[in-house]
Amino acid sequence: MVIAPGGDSSLVFEIPIDSKYSEGEYTVELTVRCSNTSISRLRKFKVLMGVSVVSVSLEKDRLYLNDTGSLYITLMSVRNANLTLVASYYNENRFVKNTTIPVTVTEGTQVVKVPLLTEIPGNYTLKYRVSLLGVGISGGGEVHYTVLSPPSITNISVVGGEKGGLYSTFRRIIPIPKNREFFSTT
């Protein structure tokens, strides 16, 4: 840009904000050079996506095998937007699967329901991330829940009695979880 001498001039510039900028505060330095003089100005600005995670709650933190349960994520939005919610499931710190849920938000609050995996017993960690234009918005995190399995009979053997007789004594081996969570009353 070339400015002719003779008075004050206003400088107007625009900074395009695209998906490489996440929410936060940024500083821009503008430098104007004229022959042997330069003037620099610093300006701070905030980038806000207009969508945030307000709260997260588990329907239940202890479920039985093949039970149903959900994670509820409450979003607050000041705009209409198409979001992506990615839920990553880990059982005993081993990756199980990712689930991607498209979410369309309008101005106000909206609750997103994320199903919990319960097909395999164990201690689960569900890590979630909400993104707009591929950029994560504030409020991603993780929750923990446990899937319990009932006791099962794994081995039956005869330890007494007569062969071919009607009565025999059986020994049952029933594995019970070490921390006895199956018998919890909660």
Side-chain angles (χ1 to χ4, degrees), residues 165-186:
L166 293 175
Y167 300 100
S168 296
T169 304
F170 292 94
R171 184 180 77 200
R172 288 183 249 165
I173 301 171
I174 302 175
I176 298 175
K178 293 177 187 172
N179 53 8
R180 300 188 183 273
E181 288 179 329
F182 178 76
F183 298 102
S184 173
T185 58
T186 59

Side-chain angles (χ1 to χ4, degrees), residues 120-134:
I120 302 169
N123 295 312
Y124 281 83
T125 299
L126 190 160
K127 296 180 181 183
Y128 59 90
R129 181 174 184 261
V130 181
S131 60
L132 172 66
L133 303 172

Side-chain angles (χ1 to χ4, degrees), residues 48-52 75-84 103-110 131-133:
L48 300 173
M49 296 294 179
V51 179
S52 60
L75 303 171
M76 173 81 70
S77 180
V78 296
R79 63 190 284 184
N80 297 337
N82 293 320
L83 308 175
T84 303
V103 179
T104 300
V105 292
T106 56
E107 291 184 31
T109 58
Q110 182 170 338
S131 60
L132 172 66
L133 303 172

Side-chain angles (χ1 to χ4, degrees), residues 63-84:
L63 301 104
Y64 291 106
L65 201 60
N66 298 316
D67 198 358
T68 58
S70 298
L71 168 68
Y72 296 97
I73 300 175
T74 304
L75 303 171
M76 173 81 70
S77 180
V78 296
R79 63 190 284 184
N80 297 337
N82 293 320
L83 308 175
T84 303

Side-chain angles (χ1 to χ4, degrees), residues 2 6 12 16 18 28 30 61 86 90 107 118 129 148 160 165 169:
V2 177
V12 177
D18 59 20
V28 173
L30 174 65
D61 63 352
V86 176
Y90 296 83
E107 291 184 31
T118 61
R129 181 174 184 261
L148 307 170
T169 304

Side-chain angles (χ1 to χ4, degrees), residues 89-106:
Y89 299 86
Y90 296 83
N91 184 344
E92 307 292 343
N93 296 320
R94 283 179 301 234
F95 175 76
V96 178
K97 80 181 239 181
N98 275 340
T99 299
T100 301
I101 302 170
V103 179
T104 300
V105 292
T106 56

